[in-house]
């Protein structure tokens, strides 16, 4: 009886450990897909409808703040312009945040010409290894931020799908970028 109890406790601990480590493994798979320029593998880790909604909401809010700051809240032409821009923005986000958009973004560096005279040298930003922090923000939410943790930098938000599955479901756009 003692062996069965011990085995059950060991199995429960192993189950809890793998469930806890699962977003770190998903993050590793996303990084590997990006490094290999494997758009299909990357797309498997993205919840496109949720990501589209997140990006649209943040960009529309930033656009509304920008228009209100520039034209004022009582300007009827500003409201009309915001509606037109919002419709265009929605179509652009739908096109970019899609499996085809992911393929284009992942493969962009492979097809775009290098303007630098030394094409073999990595770009200045690519030389520095990306430092980030990753951790749980809730039982079903996992957030990846720049190492300094500054909210101004933006973040990637993965949401739990099942017990071990995680998908990129939201991007917290840096406030400087969202306000432009």
């Amino acid at each position: 009886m003692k062996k069965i109890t011990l085995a059950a406790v060991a199995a429960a601990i192993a189950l809890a450990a793998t469930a806890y480590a699962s977003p770190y493994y998903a993050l590793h798979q996303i990084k590997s897909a990006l490094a290999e320029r494997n758009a299909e593998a990357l797309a498997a880790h993205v919840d496109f409808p949720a990501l589209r909604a997140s990006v649209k909401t943040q960009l529309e809010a930033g656009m509304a703040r920008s228009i209100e700051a520039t034209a004022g809240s009582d300007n009827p032409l500003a409201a009309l312009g915001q509606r037109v821009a919002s419709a265009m923005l929605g179509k652009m986000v739908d096109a970019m945040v899609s499996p085809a958009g992911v393929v284009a973004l992942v493969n962009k560096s492979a097809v775009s010409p290098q303007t630098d005279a030394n094409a073999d040298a990595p770009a200045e930003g690519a030389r520095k290894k990306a430092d980030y922090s990753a951790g749980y923000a809730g039982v079903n939410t996992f957030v990846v931020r720049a190492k300094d943790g500054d909210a101004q930098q933006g973040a990637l938000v993965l949401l739990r799908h099942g017990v071990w599955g995680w998908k990129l479901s939201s991007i917290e756009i840096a406030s400087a970028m969202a306000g432009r």
Side-chain angles (χ1 to χ4, degrees):
M1 184 70 168
K2 189 175 181 180
K3 289 182 181 181
I4 293 174
T5 305
L6 198 57
V9 168
I13 290 172
L15 182 68
T18 57
Y20 177 80
S22 62
Y24 294 98
Y25 181 66
L27 186 59
H28 170 72
Q29 289 178 317
I30 290 170
K31 286 173 46 180
S32 296
L34 285 170
E36 296 169 0
R37 290 191 174 106
N38 186 343
E40 291 80 23
L42 181 62
H45 296 287
V46 178
D47 182 358
F48 288 104
L51 187 59
R52 270 187 221 105
S54 166
V55 171
K56 278 183 193 178
T57 301
Q58 292 179 68
L59 290 178
E60 286 174 352
M63 182 178 58
R65 284 191 304 270
S66 177
I67 289 174
E68 186 173 326
T70 308
S73 61
D74 58 345
N75 187 338
L77 290 178
L80 176 64
Q82 183 175 354
R83 279 190 229 117
V84 170
S86 180
M88 290 174 51
L89 180 70
K91 290 180 182 179
M92 287 177 14
V93 170
D94 287 343
M96 291 184 67
V97 183
S98 66
V102 168
V103 170
L105 290 173
V106 169
N107 293 326
K108 181 182 184 318
S109 62
V111 295
S112 62
Q114 298 227 356
T115 58
D116 191 9
N118 188 358
D120 292 333
E124 188 64 36
R127 286 185 192 144
K128 184 179 172 188
K129 185 176 179 182
D131 287 330
Y132 61 90
S133 64
Y136 281 92
V139 175
N140 297 320
T141 307
F142 190 80
V143 179
V144 181
R145 293 193 185 281
K147 187 71 169 197
D148 59 4
D150 185 7
Q152 302 291 324
Q153 298 294 325
L156 302 176
V157 180
L158 284 79
L159 295 179
R160 186 183 299 271
H161 287 258
V163 178
W164 290 278
W166 293 83
K167 289 191 176 192
L168 176 63
S169 299
S170 177
I171 296 177
E172 293 176 6
I173 300 173
S175 59
M177 187 173 160
R180 287 184 184 167

